[in-house]
Amino acid sequence: MPYSLRVFVGVWILYFLLVLLAPAYSMTSEMNQVVFLDAGFVALTSLVAVLTNYFLEKKLRVDSGYYLQQVQGISDKLIRFTLLLALVGLLALMFDKIQVQHIDYSGELARAREEWRELGEGREGVSSPYSMIGYALSTCFILTLVPLMLSPRLLRPAKIGIALLGLFFFLMLNSILIGGRSIILLTLCFAVAFYVIRRERGDRAYTFSKKTKIGLLILGGIAIMYIFYVFMSRASATHDGVSGAEYLEAMQEYMELKTATWPALLEKSFPALGSLVAFGMLIITYLCHSAFIFAEYLQHQTDYAGDPFILFNHMRGIFAKLGMIGPQSTDWFLAGRFPSLPGALFHDGGYVLLFVGTLILGGLVGVANFFTKAKQMSLMRVGFVSSVYTILFLSPLLFAPDIMSFPFIVFEFIMFGVLFSKFRITK
């Protein structure tokens, strides 16, 4: 089985382990059907991907026979340019949010995010040209990972360390500006996608020095603490004065779930530990609540007849803000909760769209796996493959293109693919 599909199956297994671990259970009787449909989605996607890749290898040549020679130092230039434009985008976002929209970041981060959300909902069009520049460029740091993970042999260790620190700096500041966690999840998934490309091409797993391992553990620890802080900040902003267990119960009720009693009992006996555990359990529930939302869709199909489509809602929202299409409704059944990709397909088109969408995803994965076999990969091709893999790996949680930053990352791959047309990942 291709490495990408092994990761895909592993992600879904981990996902259902989290569902079992979460201190909540569905109020519907459809969870068995959810497991069956999700398992069918995984199996059919994998089968179509394997068959598509097999057909392409039989019918087409992987390479055209013409290659551009790897330009010396182009990886260094790509790193510098991606980080420079990420800085430009970050400054533009800061100017827009602080000077143009006058969002107050001096208090709770969740309150700033809520203020930003309310301003966006009450406004037609974009807030300013700085906002457009900011969103278009601020996630360029993700492309910094391409040479770091796919052609590290061309870089000095010091350059890799500096680039990683710069990347982490921009990642955290972007997350703070929007008060969310999705950009951290998206960056992690693209990093996994780049690693999978490396393994699909026959490269060995990474070997890290002791110092590198310690550094990565420190950065990972900071990111995890920040995620805990975001959940605690939102608890303070939306349910002021409630305990961790009470906020867990309130959020699970919002997600249409029943809560287990043990988090409240633990917090009652050990307040500090219990509160920390409650927020940890909330993070787990948040990650896997899409399974329970799918179950709600299955049980209440008549309740969302005539709903607007969920798929590509964020991209449609961007086009609406730019005046290219009319206003888009986001008032669908259980709006604000995240369905998995199978769940979103089922919501928008029932069993037919679920089947067709699965075939399309499997075909795209098969094409992506075929592309990874080429002797050389352009930046544009890396962008296509990594985007498909990211959609694949995030399918248990949500539809990746509906994460706010995803369309802009695709745009950045296209832009840099043109600017760095001579960049190649070689075997």
Side-chain angles (χ1 to χ4, degrees), residues 155-416:
L155 301 169
R156 300 187 308 274
K159 172 71 72 172
I160 294 175
I162 293 171
L164 283 175
L165 288 175
L167 186 155
F168 185 76
F169 173 78
F170 289 122
L171 169 63
M172 297 308 297
L173 282 184
N174 266 271
S175 186
I176 289 170
L177 276 177
I178 62 176
R181 304 130 299 187
S182 61
I183 186 60
I184 296 177
L185 178 64
L186 200 55
T187 302
L188 178 62
C189 283
F190 267 99
V192 172
F194 297 145
Y195 178 74
V196 170
I197 292 174
R198 175 185 174 90
R199 296 305 302 273
E200 288 282 8
R201 294 173 63 77
D203 289 335
R204 294 177 299 174
Y206 298 113
T207 55
F208 297 114
S209 66
K210 185 177 180 180
K211 289 183 179 179
T212 302
K213 291 178 181 178
I214 293 174
L216 291 175
L217 285 174
I218 291 173
L219 296 181
I222 293 173
I224 291 172
M225 287 190 292
Y226 169 76
I227 291 171
F228 267 88
Y229 163 73
V230 170
F231 277 97
M232 292 178 179
S233 174
R234 292 192 178 184
S236 175
T238 58
H239 297 75
D240 195 18
V242 302
S243 66
E246 290 171 335
Y247 182 64
L248 170 64
E249 183 176 356
M251 285 300 297
Q252 289 182 338
E253 183 178 344
Y254 171 74
M255 297 176 199
E256 302 293 323
L257 301 173
K258 290 184 179 180
T259 307
T261 58
W262 68 262
L265 296 175
L266 178 63
E267 188 177 53
K268 185 176 181 180
S269 301
F270 307 96
L273 175 63
S275 180
L276 187 64
V277 169
F279 280 107
M281 291 297 101
L282 176 58
I283 292 172
I284 291 175
T285 306
Y286 188 80
L287 284 173
C288 65
H289 80 276
S290 55
F292 305 110
I293 299 303
F294 193 1
E296 293 288 336
Y297 288 164
L298 289 167
Q299 184 163 11
H300 302 284
Q301 297 180 43
T302 57
D303 292 346
Y304 58 83
D307 261 10
F309 290 142
I310 293 178
L311 295 167
F312 297 105
N313 71 84
H314 176 59
M315 296 179 70
R316 296 197 308 271
I318 292 174
F319 293 145
K321 290 286 186 182
L322 295 174
M324 300 171 66
I325 60 176
Q328 299 295 297
S329 173
T330 57
D331 185 22
W332 53 72
F333 181 62
L334 300 179
R337 295 78 157 179
F338 298 114
S340 63
L341 176 51
L345 288 168
F346 183 85
H347 173 278
D348 286 359
Y351 293 103
V352 174
L353 186 58
L354 176 57
F355 178 74
V356 173
T358 303
L359 294 180
I360 293 173
L361 178 61
L364 288 173
V365 174
V367 173
N369 288 341
F370 174 73
F371 281 165
T372 62
K373 304 300 189 297
K375 292 182 179 178
Q376 299 194 21
M377 290 183 69
S378 66
L379 197 56
M380 198 87 75
R381 185 175 287 188
V382 171
F384 169 78
V385 174
S386 60
S387 297
V388 171
Y389 284 168
T390 297
I391 294 172
L392 185 72
F393 301 151
L394 281 177
S395 60
L397 308 185
L398 75 174
F399 182 47
D402 285 331
I403 297 178
M404 184 175 64
S405 300
F406 187 93
F408 301 109
I409 295 170
V410 172
F411 164 76
E412 290 157 4
F413 266 112
I414 296 172
M415 177 178 66
F416 277 95

Side-chain angles (χ1 to χ4, degrees), residues 5-33:
L5 295 180
R6 281 184 275 166
V7 174
F8 173 53
V9 173
V11 166
W12 273 95
I13 291 173
L14 177 61
Y15 171 75
F16 276 109
L17 288 176
L18 291 179
V19 171
L20 293 174
L21 182 61
Y25 49 96
S26 176
M27 292 187 285
T28 75
S29 58
E30 306 294 339
M31 282 303 295
N32 288 338
Q33 190 176 357

Side-chain angles (χ1 to χ4, degrees), residues 49-68:
V50 170
L51 292 177
T52 301
N53 182 60
Y54 176 80
F55 173 81
L56 291 174
E57 287 183 347
K58 288 292 183 181
K59 298 296 183 180
L60 299 175
R61 295 183 61 183
V62 179
D63 298 300
S64 63
Y66 172 74
Y67 309 114
L68 292 171

